[in-house]
Amino acid sequence: LKESGQVSRGFLGAATQPVTPALAEALRLPEPKGALVAQVEEGSPAAQAGLKAGDVVTAVGGTPVASPRELARAIAEARPG
């Protein structure tokens, strides 16, 4: 903000949903944590990173994320680029 006069936030470009106990069992995950990718926007940072529907995001930059809300917060706090 100080440098550019604008607020910059990270943007993922993917719709996510919580990993419920039933989903964790179906996906053979050890625990119901993370964010299940439901949809990826074409050309988005998520698409460029290779994320696909059905992937489960469990960490961002080495920091664990337990829910879609935590994922959104971690991405928003990341420096764009």
Side-chain angles (χ1 to χ4, degrees):
L1 179 64
K2 208 173 195 181
E3 294 171 12
S4 67
Q6 298 178 10
V7 174
S8 284
R9 291 198 186 344
F11 167 71
L12 186 59
T16 60
Q17 65 185 63
V19 178
T20 64
L23 280 172
E25 185 177 340
L27 295 170
R28 297 188 175 135
L29 299 173
E31 54 190 346
K33 290 188 177 178
L36 176 65
V37 177
Q39 183 178 1
V40 177
E41 293 179 33
E42 189 175 321
S44 69
Q48 292 171 6
L51 281 178
K52 296 180 180 158
D55 288 346
V56 177
V57 179
T58 58
V60 174
T63 302
V65 293
S67 68
R69 179 172 288 196
E70 286 185 18
L71 173 62
R73 191 174 305 129
I75 296 298
E77 291 174 357
R79 173 179 255 158

